Amino acid sequence: MLDEHGTVVGSQSPAVRRAAALVPIDLVNYRELFTADRPSDALGPWKGATASAVAEMPNGRDENKTQPVEDSVLQPVLAAALYLLSALGPHAVTLAEDIREADRIGVRYARKASSRPNHQGLDGQRSAGACLS
């Protein structure tokens, strides 16, 4: 951006151009919020293009900006997630059902043990030193 003497007074990066284009586009997009001095229904700046398109802003669709995780990292993470899902998942489902039941019958009964046979809950298994799998 140049002043009247030709001196650069601001940048014209895509982000700056997008911000400038966003103002009239938002005014038009939200015209129904104005009760008076509403932008005309015929007004459609840049034929409906987005502010990013008007600013010729790169969209990043050509490549991933985040590189894929190395297999040496991803494989242990997925193995741990699978273990947690298989070991704790069934207990989490049972406890979620207990919570729904407690909510259904009322808060004052929430600490009451489950009516399911052989179900001690997570705290009972932890105090007994039982494995969760």
Side-chain angles (χ1 to χ4, degrees):
M1 199 162 166
L2 304 176
D3 66 4
E4 64 274 2
H5 304 292
T7 306
V8 176
V9 292
S11 72
Q12 289 187 355
S13 69
V16 171
R17 293 191 310 262
R18 181 183 180 279
L22 197 57
V23 174
I25 290 172
D26 279 349
L27 286 173
V28 169
N29 287 341
Y30 296 103
R31 71 181 84 187
E32 67 273 1
L33 297 176
F34 296 98
T35 55
D37 296 332
R38 179 179 297 191
S40 167
D41 289 341
L43 180 62
W46 297 287
K47 298 179 183 178
T50 65
S52 295
V54 170
E56 298 175 347
M57 188 173 226
N59 60 15
R61 291 184 186 163
D62 297 335
E63 64 181 62
N64 288 332
K65 292 183 180 183
T66 304
Q67 296 300 317
V69 176
E70 296 287 328
D71 283 343
S72 62
V73 174
L74 185 61
Q75 191 172 10
V77 169
L78 291 177
L82 180 61
Y83 171 75
L84 288 174
L85 185 65
S86 62
L88 297 179
H91 299 289
V93 170
T94 303
L95 292 174
E97 290 169 355
D98 289 347
I99 290 169
R100 276 194 295 276
E101 180 66 17
D103 286 345
R104 189 184 66 77
I105 61 176
V107 176
R108 64 181 166 173
Y109 299 109
R111 294 214 178 255
K112 190 174 181 180
S114 173
S115 60
R116 287 190 189 85
N118 299 325
H119 174 73
Q120 300 172 357
L122 189 57
D123 289 331
Q125 289 185 3
R126 185 181 304 129
S127 64
C131 179
L132 295 177
S133 59

